[in-house]
Amino acid sequence: MPRSTREAVEELPLLEAGLWPASPAPEPPQPHRAKTPDRPPPAALGHRERLRARAAKALDALPDYELLELMLARSLPRGDVKPLAKALLARFGGLAAVFGASLAELTAVKGVGEAVALDLKLVQEATLRIGRGEVARRPMIASWSALLAYVKAAMAHEGREQFRVLFLDKKNQLIADEVMNHGTVDHAPVYPREVMRRALELSASAVILVHNDP
């Protein structure tokens, strides 16, 4: 209800005497402060530093979950990633299977986003390229251990059967490694004419046929 002129005049002496509550003065603007990035809690920071120190002394002595934990810490700088590392190993059954899992399978694990899944797949891709390079630099027959290690890394954790062909030159060195066909969980069709056609295109002198059983 609006006040009358008389009421306003009657309140004037009280305002001058400081006995009537006046409207609060507006607060001065606060200076802008840059938001500091979130950091892991002190306990997590201390654990990571101790883990890094141990890795620097004897990297090969770390169990699989701690190795995976160090890798996840680079993708997830906040919080404790040990439970996530153990959850991934429990879900897929081992370190190689974690890296061999698809992006969709990885992101289905709680706590794994697209960026983390991609980081894990980068590790697998680097491993495959290293293995492919070692195989390509040496005669195939003289380096079965390198060949088997490469094929295992490439196919051991595939969810579907595939028919893969390694094309060799006359010195038994690798020309190309190609998946000729994908199948289902229990079979993969192969057509000899397609294998021979590709071998002629590459001028291959020999082939190694590889097949996996999921």
Side-chain angles (χ1 to χ4, degrees):
M1 180 179 216
R3 296 182 303 166
S4 65
T5 303
R6 180 178 179 182
E7 290 174 338
V9 171
E10 290 176 351
E11 292 172 0
L12 184 59
L14 296 175
L15 287 171
E16 293 176 347
L19 299 177
W20 190 264
S23 300
E27 296 183 0
Q30 297 295 324
H32 175 72
R33 296 180 180 177
K35 183 179 179 181
T36 57
D38 295 330
R39 292 178 58 81
L45 281 173
H47 171 69
R48 289 186 181 183
E49 292 303 321
R50 290 190 296 271
L51 188 55
R52 289 191 182 102
R54 288 174 48 212
K57 291 181 179 179
L59 187 58
D60 59 347
L62 295 181
D64 287 353
Y65 79 90
E66 288 187 337
L67 185 65
L68 185 56
E69 184 183 350
L70 278 176
M71 298 178 64
L72 291 171
R74 305 188 69 84
S75 304
L76 299 170
R78 294 186 295 139
D80 182 9
V81 294
K82 181 189 290 185
L84 180 57
K86 291 187 174 182
L88 284 167
L89 291 171
R91 164 65 179 82
F92 296 107
L95 199 58
V98 171
F99 298 136
S102 67
L103 290 172
E105 290 171 333
L106 289 169
T107 52
V109 178
K110 185 178 180 181
V112 178
E114 292 182 359
V116 175
L118 181 59
D119 287 346
L120 294 174
K121 295 303 295 179
L122 288 174
V123 174
Q124 186 202 29
E125 181 61 24
T127 302
L128 292 178
R129 293 190 184 192
I130 291 171
R132 189 180 299 123
E134 291 180 352
V135 169
R137 285 196 302 268
R138 293 184 291 178
M140 195 68 71
I141 295 178
S143 57
W144 279 113
S145 59
L147 170 63
L148 293 176
Y150 165 65
V151 172
K152 182 178 180 181
M155 301 178 63
H157 301 287
E158 283 287 332
R160 293 186 300 164
E161 290 202 11
Q162 62 177 225
F163 185 82
R164 200 180 197 104
V165 183
L166 308 183
F167 298 92
L168 313 178
D169 64 13
K170 62 182 180 179
K171 294 182 180 180
N172 289 333
Q173 291 180 329
L174 183 66
I175 299 174
D177 169 12
E178 298 181 356
V179 177
M180 300 296 290
N181 208 342
H182 281 96
T184 65
V185 294
D186 59 1
H187 75 279
V190 58
Y191 303 98
R193 64 179 180 273
E194 293 299 322
V195 176
M196 296 306 299
R197 179 186 62 80
R198 186 59 177 150
L200 292 173
E201 289 177 351
L202 296 171
S203 298
S205 298
V207 296
I208 295 180
L209 309 181
V210 185
H211 165 68
N212 67 317
D213 288 306

